[in-house]
Amino acid sequence: MRPLAAALLVVGLLAGCSSAPTPADTASPTPEASAPPVSVAELAEGDRVDGVDVSVPGPTQVNYREITIKPGAGTGLHCHYGQLIAVVAQGELTHYADIYPDGVHVYSAGESIVEGAEYVHEGVNEGDEDVVLWVTYITPEGKPLAETDLTKCEQ
């Protein structure tokens, strides 16, 4: 069939789809029938002033986690072999690291965090509500997402 003839056939078939509904069309749909074939749930958005440059050499693994930190709790000192990008979905995270001029930065809900490889840092919830982070890790294959043996961290 020639392309123009095929296109006209499709248009003709689609035109027939817009006819008046039949009684079967107006019956209440089943949950499966009413669900769209593709759906998107906006989970979080985090703004960032700086750009993002993510580079992890070699074979990598990608992990996505929701991390909840209760008031007064923290991640403990650690580093990463790869990089991570996180969004603070709820609360305020106090982030301690030598990469900041004052050694500390507070991230609020709606902000994003990018952590690079091998520097020691800690996230602490110093507020009154849970901190919820949505984190994507890009890590060299076979390495842990976080390293707590600080002798293995570049300092």
Side-chain angles (χ1 to χ4, degrees), residues 29-65:
T30 62
E32 295 83 21
S34 65
V38 176
S39 64
V40 175
E42 189 70 38
L43 300 177
E45 179 179 315
D47 294 326
R48 183 165 179 80
V49 175
D50 300 329
V52 177
D53 184 18
V54 176
S55 177
V56 179
T60 57
Q61 63 187 36
V62 176
N63 299 76
Y64 184 67
R65 288 182 165 179

Short mmCIF file of all heavy atoms in Angstrom, two decimals, residues 29-65:
data_model
loop_
_atom_site.label_atom_id
_atom_site.label_comp_id
_atom_site.label_asym_id
_atom_site.label_seq_id
_atom_site.Cartn_x
_atom_site.Cartn_y
_atom_site.Cartn_z
N PRO A 29 -16.50 2.58 33.44
CA PRO A 29 -15.34 1.76 33.07
C PRO A 29 -14.80 0.99 34.26
O PRO A 29 -14.97 1.39 35.41
CB PRO A 29 -14.32 2.80 32.59
CG PRO A 29 -14.70 4.06 33.29
CD PRO A 29 -16.20 3.99 33.47
N THR A 30 -14.18 -0.12 33.98
CA THR A 30 -13.52 -0.88 35.04
C THR A 30 -12.24 -0.14 35.40
O THR A 30 -11.72 0.64 34.59
CB THR A 30 -13.17 -2.30 34.55
OG1 THR A 30 -12.27 -2.16 33.46
CG2 THR A 30 -14.39 -3.08 34.13
N PRO A 31 -11.70 -0.34 36.60
CA PRO A 31 -10.47 0.38 36.97
C PRO A 31 -9.34 0.15 35.97
O PRO A 31 -8.59 1.06 35.66
CB PRO A 31 -10.11 -0.21 38.34
CG PRO A 31 -11.41 -0.71 38.89
CD PRO A 31 -12.22 -1.15 37.68
N GLU A 32 -9.22 -1.06 35.45
CA GLU A 32 -8.15 -1.33 34.48
C GLU A 32 -8.37 -0.53 33.21
O GLU A 32 -7.43 -0.04 32.62
CB GLU A 32 -8.10 -2.84 34.14
CG GLU A 32 -7.72 -3.72 35.32
CD GLU A 32 -8.91 -4.05 36.22
OE1 GLU A 32 -10.07 -3.94 35.78
OE2 GLU A 32 -8.68 -4.39 37.38
N ALA A 33 -9.61 -0.40 32.78
CA ALA A 33 -9.90 0.30 31.54
C ALA A 33 -9.71 1.80 31.69
O ALA A 33 -9.39 2.48 30.73
CB ALA A 33 -11.32 -0.01 31.07
N SER A 34 -9.90 2.35 32.89
CA SER A 34 -9.81 3.79 33.06
C SER A 34 -8.39 4.27 33.34
O SER A 34 -8.13 5.44 33.25
CB SER A 34 -10.75 4.24 34.18
OG SER A 34 -10.32 3.70 35.41
N ALA A 35 -7.49 3.37 33.71
CA ALA A 35 -6.13 3.77 33.98
C ALA A 35 -5.41 4.10 32.67
O ALA A 35 -5.51 3.35 31.71
CB ALA A 35 -5.39 2.67 34.72
N PRO A 36 -4.71 5.22 32.63
CA PRO A 36 -3.98 5.55 31.41
C PRO A 36 -2.83 4.56 31.20
O PRO A 36 -2.31 4.01 32.17
CB PRO A 36 -3.46 6.96 31.68
CG PRO A 36 -3.41 7.07 33.15
CD PRO A 36 -4.53 6.20 33.68
N PRO A 37 -2.41 4.36 29.98
CA PRO A 37 -1.34 3.40 29.72
C PRO A 37 0.01 3.84 30.28
O PRO A 37 0.87 3.02 30.56
CB PRO A 37 -1.30 3.29 28.20
CG PRO A 37 -1.95 4.53 27.71
CD PRO A 37 -2.94 4.94 28.76
N VAL A 38 0.20 5.13 30.46
CA VAL A 38 1.41 5.67 31.06
C VAL A 38 0.99 6.74 32.05
O VAL A 38 0.17 7.60 31.72
CB VAL A 38 2.34 6.30 29.99
CG1 VAL A 38 3.56 6.93 30.65
CG2 VAL A 38 2.74 5.28 28.94
N SER A 39 1.53 6.67 33.26
CA SER A 39 1.21 7.71 34.23
C SER A 39 2.51 8.22 34.85
O SER A 39 3.52 7.53 34.86
CB SER A 39 0.27 7.18 35.32
OG SER A 39 0.92 6.17 36.06
N VAL A 40 2.46 9.43 35.33
CA VAL A 40 3.61 10.08 35.94
C VAL A 40 3.18 10.64 37.28
O VAL A 40 2.15 11.30 37.37
CB VAL A 40 4.15 11.22 35.05
CG1 VAL A 40 5.28 11.96 35.74
CG2 VAL A 40 4.59 10.69 33.70
N ALA A 41 3.96 10.36 38.32
CA ALA A 41 3.71 10.93 39.63
C ALA A 41 4.89 11.83 39.96
O ALA A 41 6.02 11.36 40.05
CB ALA A 41 3.57 9.83 40.68
N GLU A 42 4.64 13.10 40.08
CA GLU A 42 5.69 14.05 40.43
C GLU A 42 6.00 13.86 41.90
O GLU A 42 5.17 14.14 42.76
CB GLU A 42 5.22 15.48 40.16
CG GLU A 42 6.30 16.51 40.30
CD GLU A 42 7.33 16.43 39.20
OE1 GLU A 42 6.97 16.16 38.04
OE2 GLU A 42 8.52 16.62 39.49
N LEU A 43 7.17 13.33 42.21
CA LEU A 43 7.51 13.01 43.59
C LEU A 43 8.15 14.19 44.31
O LEU A 43 7.81 14.48 45.44
CB LEU A 43 8.44 11.80 43.63
CG LEU A 43 7.85 10.52 43.03
CD1 LEU A 43 8.88 9.41 43.06
CD2 LEU A 43 6.60 10.11 43.77
N ALA A 44 9.11 14.82 43.68
CA ALA A 44 9.78 15.95 44.32
C ALA A 44 10.53 16.74 43.27
O ALA A 44 10.88 16.22 42.22
CB ALA A 44 10.77 15.46 45.38
N GLU A 45 10.76 17.98 43.58
CA GLU A 45 11.57 18.84 42.73
C GLU A 45 12.50 19.60 43.65
O GLU A 45 12.07 20.12 44.68
CB GLU A 45 10.68 19.82 41.96
CG GLU A 45 11.46 20.75 41.08
CD GLU A 45 10.56 21.70 40.32
OE1 GLU A 45 9.54 21.23 39.77
OE2 GLU A 45 10.87 22.90 40.27
N GLY A 46 13.76 19.63 43.30
CA GLY A 46 14.73 20.35 44.11
C GLY A 46 15.48 21.35 43.28
O GLY A 46 16.04 21.02 42.23
N ASP A 47 15.46 22.58 43.71
CA ASP A 47 16.16 23.64 42.99
C ASP A 47 17.63 23.66 43.40
O ASP A 47 17.98 23.28 44.51
CB ASP A 47 15.52 25.00 43.30
CG ASP A 47 14.11 25.08 42.77
OD1 ASP A 47 13.84 24.49 41.71
OD2 ASP A 47 13.28 25.73 43.41
N ARG A 48 18.45 24.11 42.48
CA ARG A 48 19.89 24.18 42.73
C ARG A 48 20.44 25.39 42.00
O ARG A 48 20.16 25.60 40.83
CB ARG A 48 20.54 22.90 42.22
CG ARG A 48 22.01 22.84 42.49
CD ARG A 48 22.54 21.44 42.31
NE ARG A 48 23.94 21.43 42.56
CZ ARG A 48 24.50 21.42 43.77
NH1 ARG A 48 23.72 21.39 44.83
NH2 ARG A 48 25.79 21.42 43.91
N VAL A 49 21.24 26.19 42.68
CA VAL A 49 21.83 27.39 42.09
C VAL A 49 22.95 27.01 41.13
O VAL A 49 23.05 27.55 40.04
CB VAL A 49 22.36 28.33 43.19
CG1 VAL A 49 23.08 29.52 42.59
CG2 VAL A 49 21.23 28.79 44.08
N ASP A 50 23.78 26.04 41.53
CA ASP A 50 24.91 25.62 40.71
C ASP A 50 24.48 24.57 39.71
O ASP A 50 23.46 23.90 39.87
CB ASP A 50 26.01 25.03 41.60
CG ASP A 50 26.53 26.04 42.62
OD1 ASP A 50 26.52 27.24 42.32
OD2 ASP A 50 26.92 25.61 43.72
N GLY A 51 25.31 24.36 38.71
CA GLY A 51 25.08 23.29 37.75
C GLY A 51 25.41 21.95 38.37
O GLY A 51 25.87 21.87 39.51
N VAL A 52 25.19 20.89 37.63
CA VAL A 52 25.45 19.54 38.11
C VAL A 52 26.36 18.85 37.10
O VAL A 52 26.07 18.81 35.91
CB VAL A 52 24.15 18.72 38.27
CG1 VAL A 52 24.45 17.30 38.68
CG2 VAL A 52 23.22 19.39 39.26
N ASP A 53 27.47 18.32 37.60
CA ASP A 53 28.41 17.58 36.77
C ASP A 53 28.62 16.23 37.44
O ASP A 53 29.27 16.15 38.49
CB ASP A 53 29.73 18.34 36.65
CG ASP A 53 30.71 17.66 35.71
OD1 ASP A 53 30.27 16.82 34.90
OD2 ASP A 53 31.91 17.98 35.78
N VAL A 54 28.04 15.18 36.88
CA VAL A 54 28.14 13.85 37.46
C VAL A 54 29.02 13.00 36.55
O VAL A 54 28.75 12.88 35.36
CB VAL A 54 26.75 13.20 37.62
CG1 VAL A 54 26.87 11.78 38.14
CG2 VAL A 54 25.88 14.04 38.55
N SER A 55 30.07 12.42 37.14
CA SER A 55 30.96 11.55 36.39
C SER A 55 31.42 10.42 37.29
O SER A 55 32.07 10.66 38.31
CB SER A 55 32.16 12.35 35.87
OG SER A 55 33.05 11.48 35.20
N VAL A 56 31.07 9.20 36.93
CA VAL A 56 31.50 8.02 37.66
C VAL A 56 32.05 7.06 36.61
O VAL A 56 31.30 6.54 35.80
CB VAL A 56 30.34 7.38 38.46
CG1 VAL A 56 30.81 6.14 39.19
CG2 VAL A 56 29.75 8.39 39.44
N PRO A 57 33.37 6.82 36.62
CA PRO A 57 33.97 5.99 35.57
C PRO A 57 33.66 4.51 35.72
O PRO A 57 33.33 4.04 36.80
CB PRO A 57 35.47 6.25 35.75
CG PRO A 57 35.62 6.64 37.17
CD PRO A 57 34.35 7.34 37.55
N GLY A 58 33.78 3.80 34.61
CA GLY A 58 33.64 2.35 34.61
C GLY A 58 32.21 1.88 34.73
O GLY A 58 31.28 2.69 34.71
N PRO A 59 32.03 0.58 34.89
CA PRO A 59 30.68 0.06 35.11
C PRO A 59 30.09 0.66 36.39
O PRO A 59 30.79 0.79 37.39
CB PRO A 59 30.87 -1.44 35.26
CG PRO A 59 32.22 -1.73 34.69
CD PRO A 59 33.03 -0.48 34.87
N THR A 60 28.83 1.05 36.32
CA THR A 60 28.19 1.69 37.47
C THR A 60 26.89 1.00 37.81
O THR A 60 26.32 0.26 37.01
CB THR A 60 27.89 3.18 37.19
OG1 THR A 60 27.07 3.27 36.04
CG2 THR A 60 29.14 3.98 36.99
N GLN A 61 26.44 1.28 39.01
CA GLN A 61 25.10 0.87 39.42
C GLN A 61 24.36 2.14 39.83
O GLN A 61 24.98 3.10 40.29
CB GLN A 61 25.15 -0.13 40.57
CG GLN A 61 25.76 0.42 41.84
CD GLN A 61 25.96 -0.65 42.90
OE1 GLN A 61 26.28 -1.78 42.60
NE2 GLN A 61 25.78 -0.27 44.16
N VAL A 62 23.06 2.15 39.61
CA VAL A 62 22.23 3.28 39.99
C VAL A 62 21.20 2.78 40.98
O VAL A 62 20.51 1.79 40.73
CB VAL A 62 21.54 3.91 38.75
CG1 VAL A 62 20.61 5.04 39.18
CG2 VAL A 62 22.57 4.41 37.76
N ASN A 63 21.14 3.44 42.13
CA ASN A 63 20.18 3.09 43.17
C ASN A 63 19.35 4.32 43.50
O ASN A 63 19.86 5.44 43.47
CB ASN A 63 20.89 2.63 44.44
CG ASN A 63 21.73 1.41 44.21
OD1 ASN A 63 22.81 1.50 43.65
ND2 ASN A 63 21.26 0.27 44.64
N TYR A 64 18.10 4.09 43.83
CA TYR A 64 17.19 5.18 44.21
C TYR A 64 16.59 4.82 45.55
O TYR A 64 16.05 3.71 45.71
CB TYR A 64 16.11 5.34 43.13
CG TYR A 64 15.18 6.50 43.37
CD1 TYR A 64 15.64 7.80 43.30
CD2 TYR A 64 13.85 6.29 43.67
CE1 TYR A 64 14.79 8.87 43.51
CE2 TYR A 64 12.99 7.35 43.89
CZ TYR A 64 13.47 8.64 43.81
OH TYR A 64 12.62 9.69 44.02
N ARG A 65 16.69 5.71 46.53
CA ARG A 65 16.22 5.43 47.88
C ARG A 65 15.43 6.61 48.44
O ARG A 65 15.71 7.76 48.13
CB ARG A 65 17.39 5.22 48.84
CG ARG A 65 18.14 3.96 48.68
CD ARG A 65 19.22 3.90 49.73
NE ARG A 65 19.74 2.55 49.86
CZ ARG A 65 20.70 2.23 50.68
NH1 ARG A 65 21.26 3.14 51.45
NH2 ARG A 65 21.12 0.99 50.75
#
